[in-house]
């Protein structure tokens, strides 16, 4: 059998891990099972990545890159501000609905990372990357529409993503298509209102 370098083997193992864990869950993603998925020796996984956590981190990076690329492709070049926010929301929602196995896997890995110190950096990098891309797209949409933002782009991005995360959790626990569509439309309207200064902010006791 021809020798395959670690550089070539790395994306193969990442794909095998994604395919396996998307079908069976993170708990099934042992290095032995991932190696069997690709048809290689278990030692190949450890030689290529070192530890299971290093492989999981690479999986999170790949899933995050795929999600960001999909959102960036959805951003229209000549639309108004609200239309752009709606397009981004639609692209993310389609990812959660049509690519649900991969989206759920990323959510599952993110939750695992909360209790796994070796994955903490990957979890933070994932969220930073999504926030940064969303904030950039918000800024670009505002510039095209000549819309002055009432809040920093990052704050608007975090507000939007917080609402979207809530909708996806509801879809997992209590699916209701009509309520989900209403929630998505409301999120786009609320994000637009926050960005343009039309959303009044209530005082909330937090101490």
């Amino acid at each position: 059998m021809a020798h395959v370098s670690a550089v070539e083997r790395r994306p193969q193992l990442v794909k095998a891990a994604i395919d396996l864990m998307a079908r069976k869950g993170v708990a099934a993603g042992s290095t032995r099972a991932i190696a069997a998925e690709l048809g290689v020796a278990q030692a190949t996984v450890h030689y290529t990545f070192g530890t299971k956590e290093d492989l999981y981190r690479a999986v999170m990076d790949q899933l995050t890159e795929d999600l960001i690329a999909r959102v960036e492709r959805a951003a229209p070049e000549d639309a108004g501000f609200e239309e752009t926010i709606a397009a981004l929301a639609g692209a993310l929602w389609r990812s959660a609905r049509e690519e649900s196995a991969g989206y759920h896997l990323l959510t599952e890995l993110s939750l695992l990372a909360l209790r796994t110190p070796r994955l903490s950096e990957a979890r933070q990098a994932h969220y930073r990357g999504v926030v940064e891309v969303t904030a950039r797209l918000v800024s670009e949409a505002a510039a095209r529409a000549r819309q002055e933002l009432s809040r920093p782009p990052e704050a608007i991005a975090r507000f939007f993503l917080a609402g979207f995360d809530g909708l996806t959790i509801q879809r997992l626990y209590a699916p209701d298509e009509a309520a989900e569509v209403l929630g998505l439309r409301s999120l786009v309207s609320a994000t637009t209102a926050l960005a343009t200064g039309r959303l009044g902010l209530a005082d909330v006791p937090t101490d």
Side-chain angles (χ1 to χ4, degrees):
M1 182 179 294
H3 172 72
V4 178
S5 70
V7 172
E8 294 175 284
R9 189 64 82 192
R10 186 180 178 88
Q12 295 173 354
L13 284 168
V14 168
K15 183 180 185 305
I18 291 173
D19 291 344
L20 174 67
M21 292 191 289
R23 291 197 316 271
K24 298 184 177 181
V26 172
S30 65
T31 55
R32 183 185 300 276
I34 291 168
E37 179 80 8
L38 186 60
V40 298
Q42 184 180 6
T44 301
V45 180
H46 293 290
Y47 173 76
T48 306
F49 286 97
T51 67
K52 181 173 69 175
E53 288 77 16
D54 291 332
L55 173 56
Y56 281 13
R57 184 159 53 243
V59 167
M60 289 183 71
D61 289 344
Q62 184 61 58
L63 289 171
T64 301
E65 288 176 15
D66 293 344
L67 179 62
I68 287 174
R70 187 164 191 173
V71 172
E72 287 182 317
R73 288 196 301 270
E77 297 182 357
D78 56 355
F81 184 79
E82 186 171 40
E83 293 171 299
T84 299
I85 301 300
L88 299 180
L92 279 172
W93 192 250
R94 286 191 296 275
S95 292
R97 187 183 61 202
E98 299 169 7
E99 306 290 336
S100 59
Y103 197 91
H104 294 168
L105 174 57
L106 183 55
T107 301
E108 196 175 349
L109 284 168
S110 297
L111 292 174
L112 174 67
L114 288 172
R115 292 185 175 274
T116 309
R118 289 178 63 88
L119 290 176
S120 177
E121 181 183 343
R123 173 179 54 82
Q124 294 173 12
H126 154 67
Y127 195 74
R128 279 198 308 270
V130 174
V131 170
E132 288 172 2
V133 169
T134 305
R136 175 171 58 77
L137 295 175
V138 166
S139 296
E140 291 173 355
R144 283 197 307 272
R146 298 182 181 179
Q147 171 65 59
E148 183 177 350
L149 297 176
S150 68
R151 303 283 171 179
E154 182 176 332
I156 297 168
R158 290 175 68 94
F159 173 80
F160 170 79
L161 292 170
F164 188 86
D165 287 344
L167 287 172
T168 56
I169 291 297
Q170 286 186 358
R171 181 175 176 80
L172 283 175
Y173 291 147
D176 183 329
E177 185 173 354
E180 291 158 8
V181 171
L182 175 61
L184 195 62
R185 294 177 64 186
S186 300
L187 175 60
V188 170
S189 296
T191 301
T192 303
L194 176 67
T196 57
R198 301 197 310 269
L199 182 65
L201 301 181
D203 291 328
V204 179
T206 56
D207 295 328

